[in-house]
Amino acid sequence: MIKEEAIRRNPSGERYELAERTGFGRLAVESGLITQKQLESALTEQEKTGKLLPDLLQELYGLKAETVQFLQAENAGIRTVDLALIRIDQEALKKVPLQFALEHKLLPISLNQNRLTVAMANPFELASLDELQFMTRLYTDTRFAPESKIVEAIQKHYRSAVDESAPAGDKKEEKESYAGIQEGEETIGPQVIRLVSALVSRALREGATDIHVEPEKDSLKVRFRIDGILYVRPVIDKALMPAVITRIKIMAIIDISESRLPQDGRFSFESDGKTYDFRVSTFPTIHGEKVVLRILDKEHVIMGLEQLGFSPSALTIFKKSVARPNGIILVTGPTGSGKTTTLYSTLNYVNSAERNIMTLEDPVEYEIPLIQQSQINLKAGLTFASGLRAMLRQDPDVILVGEMRDAETADVSIRAALTGHLVFSTLHTNDAVGAVPRLLDMGVDPSLMASSFVAIIAQRLVRKVCSYCKETREVDKSLQQLAGINRELGGNTFYKGRGCTRCYDSGYRGRVGIFEILPVSPAIAQMITQRSSSQEILERARVEGMTTMMEDGVEKVMQGITTVEELARVTYSV
């Protein structure tokens, strides 16, 4: 446990921050949880892997999740409250529905005029706080409390509020509301609850990124997306379809009575001591509701730059680009090409306490400490362009704009770069050079583009050969040509995965990026200003030493990282 003498406590039960604020790692040392040597080892490992320090301390030294959350709150100056020692304001409880409190793991503890104070297991969940403020129309102050204590307090105080303060008729209604989540589970039966849990657990074991639950005429089909490919899993009897869909909707806090309109929700699921977040989407079809569960695993999204797949020369260029104090770095590629992983890993690489880093995303998929992340809200008028304008008044050093969707967003991003900000964004194009005509078609001023752009990166994801069943093989000459391997092969050896239990007989396990980087040199900038064609810009970039995405993929084939078939599948349309 954390040493109590390191913490100041007041009579109300609140524990205040340390007298002298320190970094997260130093705080862990001063609290007696780890030694200085262990901290240095963890920092070395963080530099190698790009993992977050809180995650590493749990992984390397067995720190409990609640302890790490306490340290994060303490380091951020967020007060910690002991729910067993304070009086819970019954008026505060009335402001927040039980279902919302359970979903977001928070407990209202006091109400003072127009300010509501809540205890949260994760006080850094800005989206939850925004939703709470919108729902209650109150300003909110946060305190930290362990999740287990919050759940226990919710069960205690919400039931107490019903028993003590509600009229007889209301008591029945409120108690029914309290039991609402459990009632749904009882109705659909424990066997369906176990079935859905087993389905989710299997997807996690197999490394899936998405679970597709698809109603058909005579059955409920389930498919897992693993390494970008959909694989059919055991079909579920049609008779169980309503119960399975209902169970998933209950988990995601989605209206189970509405089946005609698309809905979205979220839930968390614990497996093997690790908590995963799921984003759930429903969509009506002629045979029933299709449900897609997107698995959000921070460990597979935020990683060290060395792990992304950059060649040594490309990595040097990329690191040099992101070290710039201002300018625009654009990452391009289709949906599912790994742009989010590249950008989040880059933000983690440049992240520091000395920098103000802000993002505009749609949606915010993963939360990164020290970074202020925002989600666009079209209904409220918060677009990429309007949000970026407002963000510039917040004194940012680094900005992430989720996507350059239109000329207005591109124009504001460029002007932000020209006024001293480092801007990251994405664009949907097939290659790096293709971003130039795409922006020109939007109406972006070519001279401003040439002045602000630092580099354009294009990428794809290719599946890696399974290391457990890797073996040599012969490759058909026509397939080599299709993949762009036209050089003399000589003694080069090709590999494939035979298929084993580790890769679920696919021959592949995991994915890696193939990249091309177009540094905007003075010569390239001049060509952009002159509206030169993509082919002319590409030829000049090749003269300056640019390696194309296809060439990077061929090199990975030669190294035995991926296969010719996989490279052809991913890049043939480039």
Side-chain angles (χ1 to χ4, degrees), residues 155-457:
Q155 294 172 346
K156 173 184 176 183
H157 292 288
Y158 271 91
R159 279 182 170 171
S160 175
V162 172
D163 292 338
E164 294 176 7
S165 62
D170 291 341
K171 286 181 185 180
K172 181 177 184 294
E173 182 179 343
E174 289 295 325
K175 287 181 178 179
E176 288 175 353
S177 173
Y178 180 87
I181 295 175
Q182 294 177 339
E183 284 177 3
E185 294 179 351
E186 291 168 1
T187 300
I188 60 181
Q191 71 275 14
V192 173
I193 295 174
R194 289 194 297 269
L195 172 62
V196 173
S197 295
L199 188 69
V200 172
S201 296
R202 179 174 178 179
L204 293 173
R205 286 197 306 273
E206 295 187 20
T209 56
D210 302 85
I211 304 172
H212 290 242
V213 182
E214 303 167 323
E216 296 188 332
K217 184 177 180 180
D218 300 314
S219 64
L220 186 64
K221 184 172 68 179
V222 176
R223 294 191 290 173
F224 294 169
R225 188 177 295 278
I226 303 172
D227 295 334
I229 305 295
L230 282 170
Y231 295 93
V232 176
R233 289 298 177 254
V235 174
I236 298 173
D237 190 285
K238 181 75 172 183
L240 292 175
M241 185 187 79
V244 169
I245 300 299
T246 298
R247 170 58 182 163
I248 295 173
K249 292 172 76 172
I250 288 173
M251 293 170 70
I253 319 296
I254 290 175
D255 185 358
I256 61 175
S257 65
E258 178 58 74
S259 60
R260 300 164 299 173
L261 297 173
Q263 297 188 79
D264 297 298
R266 298 176 76 107
F267 70 89
S268 296
F269 187 89
E270 188 169 321
S271 178
D272 296 328
K274 180 179 176 181
T275 301
Y276 297 83
D277 292 326
F278 286 74
R279 194 168 70 230
V280 180
S281 171
T282 70
F283 192 85
T285 73
I286 59 173
H287 295 301
E289 288 181 281
K290 173 180 177 178
V291 182
V292 176
L293 297 83
R294 183 76 183 272
I295 302 171
L296 306 176
D297 183 2
K298 185 182 293 184
E299 288 185 5
H300 290 94
V301 171
I302 302 177
M303 56 183 68
L305 297 184
E306 290 79 2
Q307 296 174 290
L308 294 175
F310 285 110
S311 67
S313 59
L315 183 60
T316 300
I317 296 171
F318 187 69
K319 284 186 174 181
K320 183 178 179 181
S321 299
V322 302
R324 290 276 296 270
N326 62 283
I328 291 179
I329 296 173
L330 201 60
V331 180
T332 73
T335 300
S337 60
K339 298 188 298 295
T340 298
T341 298
T342 297
L343 286 172
Y344 272 39
S345 299
T346 303
L347 286 183
N348 194 51
Y349 176 75
V350 302
N351 193 8
S352 72
E354 291 77 30
R355 277 180 152 175
N356 179 17
I357 303 178
M358 303 183 71
T359 75
L360 269 174
E361 305 172 59
D362 183 25
V364 175
E365 294 193 4
Y366 304 91
E367 297 178 24
I368 309 175
L370 294 181
I371 295 180
Q372 303 300 308
Q373 297 170 262
S374 301
Q375 183 166 310
I376 69 167
N377 186 336
L378 298 179
K379 291 182 180 179
L382 180 60
T383 64
F384 281 122
S386 64
L388 183 53
R389 286 194 183 92
M391 186 179 288
L392 292 175
R393 297 191 288 271
Q394 295 286 310
D395 186 33
D397 299 301
V398 179
I399 299 170
L400 167 65
V401 181
E403 183 182 346
M404 286 193 182
R405 292 182 179 175
D406 49 52
E408 186 182 13
T409 303
D411 183 66
V412 179
S413 299
I414 287 172
R415 297 186 186 281
L418 292 175
T419 54
H421 305 87
L422 182 61
V423 180
F424 295 96
S425 192
T426 70
L427 196 66
H428 291 281
T429 61
N430 285 333
D431 55 15
V433 175
V436 176
R438 175 69 184 279
L439 290 168
L440 291 176
D441 289 342
M442 285 184 185
V444 177
D445 188 322
S447 61
L448 292 179
M449 193 193 313
S451 302
S452 60
F453 275 63
V454 175
I456 304 173
I457 298 95

Side-chain angles (χ1 to χ4, degrees), residues 543-556:
V543 170
E544 294 181 358
M546 172 183 166
T547 299
T548 67
M549 192 160 33
M550 178 67 80
E551 290 170 335
D552 187 37
V554 169
E555 191 59 39
K556 287 182 170 64

Side-chain angles (χ1 to χ4, degrees), residues 465-466 469-473 494-498 507 563 565:
V465 177
C466 175
C469 60
K470 189 175 184 177
E471 62 184 18
T472 59
R473 49 86 61 89
F494 292 92
Y495 296 89
K496 70 172 182 179
R498 183 180 62 255
T563 65
E565 291 91 342

Side-chain angles (χ1 to χ4, degrees), residues 28-59:
V29 173
E30 292 183 353
S31 300
L33 294 165
I34 61 172
T35 65
Q36 179 63 34
K37 187 174 181 180
Q38 287 175 320
L39 173 60
E40 292 170 359
S41 297
L43 291 173
T44 300
E45 184 69 15
Q46 182 187 34
E47 188 173 342
K48 291 179 183 177
T49 65
K51 292 183 178 181
L52 300 177
L53 185 58
D55 295 338
L56 279 173
L57 294 188
Q58 291 184 72
E59 180 182 320

